[in-house]
Amino acid sequence: MERDLNVLGESLQECGTDPVTGFFRDGCCTTGPEDLGSHTVCAVMTTEFLAHQLAVGNDLTTPRPELNFTGLRPGDRWCVVAARWLQAYHAGAAAPVVLASTHLRALDTIPLSVLRAHAVDVPADPSALG
């Protein structure tokens, strides 16, 4: 079994467990053939990114109990679809990215230089990211 690597070529690190993220809801941005959207970018939610996603029809803030989804708030870490993140980037609303937790497959859609330009270490109080 092939191990999952991040965009830095290292072992993929956990993205978030509160709420539990990932296509497979394993806390990591792991991917596979079932993940048609490529939920591979570990992003730290910001007010701007969440508003942009809502505006383009990707509501990440409304709870969906039937999907065991509590809704996201600024500061939450979430594995987002690479194409959606890139769309937000082009609109000037890109969320910060945790490179160690972003899957190598994200590079199929987003250049590493773009991800690096938005890289962030997750602060102790991520709500400060607004």
Side-chain angles (χ1 to χ4, degrees):
M1 180 172 162
E2 184 180 324
R3 70 180 184 144
D4 289 299
L5 299 177
N6 62 32
V7 294
L8 304 173
E10 302 164 347
S11 292
L12 185 66
Q13 301 299 305
E14 182 179 272
C15 180
T17 57
D18 185 21
V20 177
T21 191
F23 179 79
F24 298 106
R25 292 298 189 263
D26 60 0
C28 293
C29 297
T30 52
T31 191
E34 309 90 341
D35 181 12
L36 300 179
S38 187
H39 295 76
T40 52
V41 178
C42 181
V44 182
M45 297 298 100
T46 63
T47 301
E48 295 80 12
F49 181 81
L50 291 168
H52 175 267
Q53 291 302 289
L54 182 60
V56 298
N58 186 26
D59 183 359
L60 297 174
T61 58
T62 301
R64 300 278 310 270
E66 71 277 14
L67 300 175
N68 200 26
F69 179 69
T70 59
L72 299 176
R73 297 180 308 274
D76 288 341
R77 294 183 305 278
W78 196 250
C79 296
V80 299
V81 171
R84 291 281 191 178
W85 188 92
L86 187 61
Q87 180 183 35
Y89 164 76
H90 287 301
V97 175
V98 181
L99 296 178
S101 303
T102 296
H103 197 282
L104 182 65
R105 292 290 308 271
L107 298 180
D108 292 348
T109 305
I110 307 165
L112 181 58
S113 60
V114 172
L115 291 171
R116 281 188 187 277
H118 291 85
V120 64
D121 286 329
V122 179
D125 179 12
S127 66
L129 295 169

